[in-house]
Amino acid sequence: MRLTGRLIIGLLAIILCSSWGFFAHYRINRLAVFTLPRAMSGFYKANIEFITEHAVSADKRRYVDSTESPKHFLDADHYGKNPFPRIPQRWSDAVVKYSEDTLIKYGTVPWTINYNYYKLVDAFKRKDTTDILTASANLGHYVADAHVPLHLTQNYNGQLTNQTGLHALWESRLPELFGDQYHYFVGKARYIQNPLKEAFTICRASFKEVDSVMIFERVLNKSFPADKKYTMERRGKSKKETQEYAVEYSRAYQKMMHGMVERRMRASILSVGSYWYSAWVDAGQPDLNKLIAKPLSGNELMKIQQEEALYRSRKNITFN
């Protein structure tokens, strides 16, 4: 196979297996802004478009940086059926027990969250606007990744159980089809006492959902008419036809999971906001209002206030 062909296949694999899908990452980072206290919210609202747009920068880096991919997952089942009591939380202890090569091979997302948390703390201390925003967007991405059950298993795309494509169905197709019907309000961000311990707690909760994700789709696949499982849709700027899971199949899968995707998105929003808030507190609560380079215009402020009002009223939110 020529190099160009390999590159295209590699890029397609990354796109299909990107965490949450771009749609959900945009929404999680954006709504996390509304969980922040007033002392932070003005700064984050003034930069909400950056926070939203760069919610997927970490995934885009996977196209060009071979060291990026392991930061998005943890193949917990490599370490056994009950892995978390076995995995040391301190990186140095885990390296001694398993070796750095093994840890990287099977994913480092909880340690990546911890590393990026302290990058954000440092950026706050230095009052560096660009670094604060970049670190916030990246941290939000990794925290959201840890909430995805399929990022906690070696069978991340159903490829080991004849369910190939499950990754895109759970993380991208369902949020894109039904995300505007979800209720996202989660209240205010909370202080996280131990960022690393919290990252492992998130991963543990996601890992518990893996079996349900697999079993429900397997049961549905056996009962659903094979000729109605997929549909052809025109997507992207090119409007090229691509095969997608049919709307009815996707709706049936979502119903079987009793709102799991919505719950994990809600949990992601609260966790992302809480990590941002905790980093700001640990940095000494610097005055972020002094870092606002360009205040929102009247129209921009009105739009964000309307979004926040819908979020707080638990009504459906549609972003243009």
Side-chain angles (χ1 to χ4, degrees):
M1 184 185 294
R2 288 181 293 182
L3 180 60
T4 53
R6 290 175 180 169
L7 178 60
I8 291 171
I9 289 175
L11 291 177
L12 285 173
I14 290 173
I15 293 169
L16 288 173
C17 296
S18 291
S19 48
W20 269 126
F22 285 7
F23 171 92
H25 271 299
Y26 289 143
R27 185 155 294 192
I28 289 166
N29 262 20
R30 191 176 190 92
L31 294 181
V33 171
F34 300 143
T35 71
L36 299 174
R38 181 171 297 182
M40 298 182 70
S41 63
F43 172 80
Y44 276 83
K45 287 176 182 177
N47 295 284
I48 197 169
E49 297 305 331
F50 183 100
I51 291 291
T52 304
E53 178 183 351
H54 289 272
V56 298
S57 293
D59 268 340
K60 291 179 180 179
R61 282 196 296 275
R62 297 164 72 181
Y63 304 161
V64 295
D65 184 353
S66 61
T67 68
E68 178 65 30
S69 185
K71 300 174 184 178
H72 297 251
F73 65 90
L74 174 67
D75 287 343
D77 47 6
H78 167 74
Y79 302 98
K81 293 183 178 179
N82 185 26
F84 289 97
R86 301 181 180 184
I87 304 174
Q89 293 191 3
R90 289 180 56 185
W91 174 258
S92 57
D93 293 339
V95 168
V96 169
K97 184 171 183 178
Y98 293 114
S99 84
E100 185 171 353
D101 287 346
T102 297
L103 295 176
I104 292 173
K105 180 178 180 179
Y106 294 103
T108 63
V109 70
W111 297 289
T112 298
I113 290 171
N114 193 57
Y115 174 76
N116 281 270
Y117 175 82
Y118 285 105
K119 284 189 69 174
L120 180 55
V121 171
D122 179 66
F124 276 132
K125 288 181 177 179
R126 291 185 288 105
K127 300 180 177 63
D128 187 314
T129 301
T130 300
D131 285 357
I132 289 170
L133 294 174
T134 300
S136 294
N138 287 334
L139 178 58
H141 184 102
Y142 297 124
V143 170
D145 280 359
H147 285 79
V148 178
L150 290 169
H151 278 260
L152 272 295
T153 175
Q154 296 176 92
N155 193 20
Y156 61 91
N157 196 30
Q159 76 280 6
L160 304 179
T161 50
N162 197 31
Q163 295 173 278
T164 301
L166 182 58
H167 199 106
L169 172 61
W170 196 98
E171 299 182 348
S172 297
R173 186 64 167 164
L174 296 189
E176 288 172 5
L177 286 174
F178 309 115
D180 287 344
Q181 302 167 24
Y182 295 166
H183 296 164
Y184 295 106
F185 182 73
V186 292
K188 287 294 186 182
R190 57 183 177 78
Y191 181 73
I192 297 171
Q193 293 284 348
N194 186 326
L196 180 59
K197 182 178 179 181
E198 180 71 11
F200 272 93
T201 297
I202 293 168
C203 289
R204 188 181 296 110
S206 296
F207 183 69
K208 288 180 180 178
E209 303 279 20
V210 171
D211 284 347
S212 296
V213 170
M214 301 291 177
I215 292 170
F216 285 141
E217 198 279 332
R218 197 153 54 237
V219 170
L220 177 62
N221 183 58
K222 291 179 180 179
S223 62
F224 205 87
D227 62 339
K228 297 185 183 299
K229 181 177 180 179
Y230 298 103
T231 187
M232 299 300 294
E233 292 185 1
R234 296 186 182 276
R235 296 172 65 91
K237 294 181 181 179
S238 66
K239 298 299 181 182
K240 182 179 180 180
E241 277 200 332
T242 58
Q243 180 176 273
E244 300 285 349
Y245 285 95
V247 173
E248 289 307 314
Y249 188 87
S250 302
R251 182 178 288 113
Y253 184 44
Q254 175 168 260
K255 185 176 180 181
M256 290 182 76
M257 291 191 294
H258 301 289
M260 183 194 296
V261 175
E262 179 179 354
R263 290 194 304 275
R264 298 312 288 163
M265 283 189 71
R266 283 165 50 86
S268 296
I269 292 165
L270 180 58
S271 291
V272 170
S274 296
Y275 268 97
W276 292 345
Y277 168 63
S278 304
W280 174 72
V281 171
D282 285 353
Q285 303 182 33
D287 187 348
L288 299 184
N289 291 325
K290 292 181 179 179
L291 302 182
I292 298 175
K294 181 182 178 182
L296 294 169
S297 68
N299 287 337
E300 290 170 334
L301 181 60
M302 184 180 300
K303 177 187 174 184
I304 292 172
Q305 288 174 336
Q306 289 172 345
E307 286 182 21
E308 185 171 10
L310 287 172
Y311 162 76
R312 293 187 181 282
S313 66
R314 296 176 172 83
K315 293 183 179 178
N316 299 344
I317 301 176
T318 302
F319 296 120
N320 295 326

